[in-house]
Amino acid sequence: MTRRLSRILIYTLAGLLVLLAILTSALRLMVAHVGEYRQQVEGVVSDYLGQPVRIAGLDARLLGLSPALVLEDLLLLNPDNGQPMAAFSHLAITLDLPASLWRRTPVLSVVLSGASLSIQRQEDGRLSIQGLPGSPAMTNSDDTTLSRWLLGIPHLIIRDSQLYWQDHPDAESWRIEVRQLLLENQPGRHRFKGQLELPDTLGQELHLALHLDGDPFDSSSWDAHFHLRLQRLQVAARAGHYQYHGWQLEQGEVDLELWGEWREQALTWLEGHSSVDDLHLSSGEYPPQHISRLAAQWHYRQTAQGWQLQLARQPEPHGQPLGLPTRLALHQQGKTFTAQADRLLLEPLLGLADLLPWLDEQQRQQLTELAPSGAIHDLYLSVHDKHL
């Protein structure tokens, strides 16, 4: 019985391979004379993609086990004026044969490679996107043709491409290598999963997964779940953006992994773990601070009238007491703020008194003059309307 099943499987696989070879050969025969009727081919491809295109050449090949029609040096045209709005070195339309046989209907995917996309975040939070290197980002809020096309393809894969990210119009542009980005789109539902390689000055790798329900162009409708893993983020690359009460991050590397949910225009929960190595903080008023390593797990929840945050920190290396608790719980409820900690050293925190928002300048000065020492165990702190 086992030998018979093995023989059936071998014959089935052999049949699939033969079928793949026949399909690929048929495609090659079809594209051999594409120059004679290029306009007709461009018309068929434009109808399938839902966007006018211009192509330089065609090929047929196997991508894994999927026969593919490959469009070479493709230009995606704006339907309103016929001008190019994106360029791709290759666009492949692939047939997932096993899935097609299983579902008894053709399952097609679009695979883009050699793309160069620029994304710019505007002052009001809008994202502008363009697909031609060197052209200005589209800032017209009504001009979402390219992004709507990308989010309208049911199954889209972007490989071996470049993404240029600009956090605001005057910021430096970061070049990010897209190893693979998968988009699955249905009306009102979008799934993203990708692996990105960051520039050396910014970090190492970014792994991202996002499930978004709602209109991607209307943030008020978003219901999203996401997972993010970031390796070796360089704090110095964005040091000017991390400032708090005169303190600034100057140097450090961050590893981060988090899971979260966004709903009704707010972050409803977030949890994960992170570590910071070789962290340097500077201030014009206090001595600089250096932390060799700081690692923690954290859990954030939005509540009906506020939020709560729980931190579990790994002990610091021997000989470098930070004065920070290993377990900390923060809770904001209306105008009342509470904090609970297992242990707090006082001496290392004197230089950080300026970070406590409920202390005024006189109280900070008094705290510095008193110079308390020792440790507080099982700390409970309550602040109501900025009063202890």
Side-chain angles (χ1 to χ4, degrees), residues 44 64 74 109 169 189 193 202 206 225 273 275 294 299 307 374:
V44 172
L74 178 139
S109 298
R189 177 168 294 183
K193 185 177 182 181
L202 184 59
L206 171 65
H225 294 79
H273 55 86
S275 63
L294 181 62
H299 184 85
W307 54 268

Side-chain angles (χ1 to χ4, degrees), residues 125-369:
R126 291 183 298 109
L127 295 180
S128 300
I129 182 171
Q130 60 93 13
L132 290 175
S135 62
M138 294 183 287
T139 57
N140 187 336
S141 60
D142 296 327
D143 193 354
T144 57
T145 306
L146 178 57
S147 50
R148 289 186 182 278
W149 177 76
L150 292 171
L151 296 175
I153 299 176
H155 191 82
L156 173 64
I157 300 173
I158 302 177
R159 291 176 179 160
D160 301 326
S161 299
Q162 288 78 45
L163 175 67
Y164 294 86
W165 171 265
Q166 198 172 12
D167 201 43
H168 58 85
D170 298 326
E172 180 182 357
S173 180
W174 298 102
R175 173 174 169 167
I176 299 172
E177 299 290 334
V178 181
R179 294 307 176 206
Q180 178 158 300
L181 180 62
L182 170 65
L183 291 81
E184 294 181 344
N185 301 300
Q186 299 177 14
R189 177 168 294 183
H190 304 272
R191 302 291 181 261
F192 307 84
K193 185 177 182 181
Q195 178 182 354
L196 311 177
E197 183 178 319
L198 303 177
D200 293 338
T201 54
L202 184 59
Q204 193 173 80
E205 280 190 340
L206 171 65
H207 297 258
L208 173 68
L210 171 65
H211 290 191
L212 173 65
D213 293 337
D215 183 354
F217 302 97
D218 180 11
S219 59
S220 64
S221 69
W222 290 359
D223 184 351
H225 294 79
F226 57 89
H227 168 248
L228 182 147
R229 185 168 80 251
L230 183 62
Q231 296 177 327
R232 315 316 292 172
L233 174 67
Q234 301 297 314
V235 171
R238 293 176 54 84
H241 296 266
Y242 304 131
Q243 297 187 37
Y244 183 74
H245 285 263
W247 285 91
Q248 179 171 308
L249 297 180
E250 297 287 353
Q251 181 179 321
E253 289 187 341
V254 179
D255 285 338
L256 174 71
E257 185 169 19
L258 56 85
W259 295 260
E261 178 187 72
W262 179 276
R263 179 176 295 175
E264 297 180 354
Q265 296 185 288
L267 184 66
T268 53
W269 65 266
L270 186 70
E271 61 184 36
H273 55 86
S274 58
S275 63
V276 184
D277 294 297
D278 194 26
L279 183 64
H280 291 254
L281 300 95
S282 65
S283 170
E285 300 182 23
Y286 302 99
Q289 300 287 326
H290 173 245
I291 301 173
S292 62
R293 181 171 177 81
L294 181 62
Q297 294 180 335
W298 31 272
H299 184 85
Y300 168 86
R301 280 285 187 278
Q302 184 187 47
T303 61
Q305 299 183 23
W307 54 268
Q308 59 185 20
L309 174 65
Q310 295 180 339
L311 295 171
R313 186 178 64 83
Q314 295 180 7
E316 60 270 4
H318 180 69
Q320 295 188 5
L322 302 178
L324 302 177
T326 55
R327 293 192 176 275
L328 177 67
L330 307 176
H331 188 197
Q332 178 79 46
Q333 186 77 7
K335 295 183 177 181
T336 301
F337 172 82
T338 60
Q340 294 177 274
D342 57 348
R343 182 172 181 265
L344 193 66
L345 296 179
L346 297 179
E347 295 96 332
L349 295 181
L350 288 179
L352 304 179
D354 194 46
L355 301 180
L356 303 177
W358 56 80
L359 296 182
D360 57 31
E361 189 60 34
Q362 182 180 1
Q363 291 172 326
R364 292 191 180 95
Q365 183 65 30
Q366 291 175 346
L367 183 61
T368 303
E369 293 173 354

Side-chain angles (χ1 to χ4, degrees), residues 22-201:
I22 293 174
L23 288 173
T24 304
S25 299
L27 283 173
R28 284 190 176 275
L29 289 174
M30 291 173 59
V31 304
H33 305 285
V34 64
E36 301 175 5
Y37 35 101
R38 182 182 306 276
Q39 291 184 349
Q40 292 90 330
V41 173
E42 289 179 344
V44 172
V45 173
S46 298
D47 290 340
Y48 172 74
L49 296 178
Q51 204 77 15
V53 301
R54 187 183 305 153
I55 58 177
L58 282 177
D59 192 9
R61 65 186 69 160
L62 282 175
L63 298 180
L65 293 178
S66 300
L69 178 65
V70 181
L71 315 178
E72 299 174 342
D73 296 325
L74 178 139
L75 288 178
L76 195 69
L77 307 180
N78 190 311
D80 297 328
N81 53 29
Q83 295 299 312
M85 63 178 187
F88 312 109
S89 61
H90 294 89
L91 185 150
I93 301 174
T94 68
L95 173 66
D96 188 335
L97 190 57
S100 300
L101 294 174
W102 179 260
R103 299 180 186 180
R104 298 181 181 179
T105 185
V107 178
L108 301 176
S109 298
V110 175
V111 181
L112 295 177
S113 60
S116 181
L117 301 174
S118 296
I119 299 179
Q120 184 185 94
R121 188 169 66 88
Q122 303 298 314
E123 297 292 346
D124 59 2
R126 291 183 298 109
L127 295 180
S128 300
I129 182 171
Q130 60 93 13
L132 290 175
S135 62
M138 294 183 287
T139 57
N140 187 336
S141 60
D142 296 327
D143 193 354
T144 57
T145 306
L146 178 57
S147 50
R148 289 186 182 278
W149 177 76
L150 292 171
L151 296 175
I153 299 176
H155 191 82
L156 173 64
I157 300 173
I158 302 177
R159 291 176 179 160
D160 301 326
S161 299
Q162 288 78 45
L163 175 67
Y164 294 86
W165 171 265
Q166 198 172 12
D167 201 43
H168 58 85
D170 298 326
E172 180 182 357
S173 180
W174 298 102
R175 173 174 169 167
I176 299 172
E177 299 290 334
V178 181
R179 294 307 176 206
Q180 178 158 300
L181 180 62
L182 170 65
L183 291 81
E184 294 181 344
N185 301 300
Q186 299 177 14
R189 177 168 294 183
H190 304 272
R191 302 291 181 261
F192 307 84
K193 185 177 182 181
Q195 178 182 354
L196 311 177
E197 183 178 319
L198 303 177
D200 293 338
T201 54

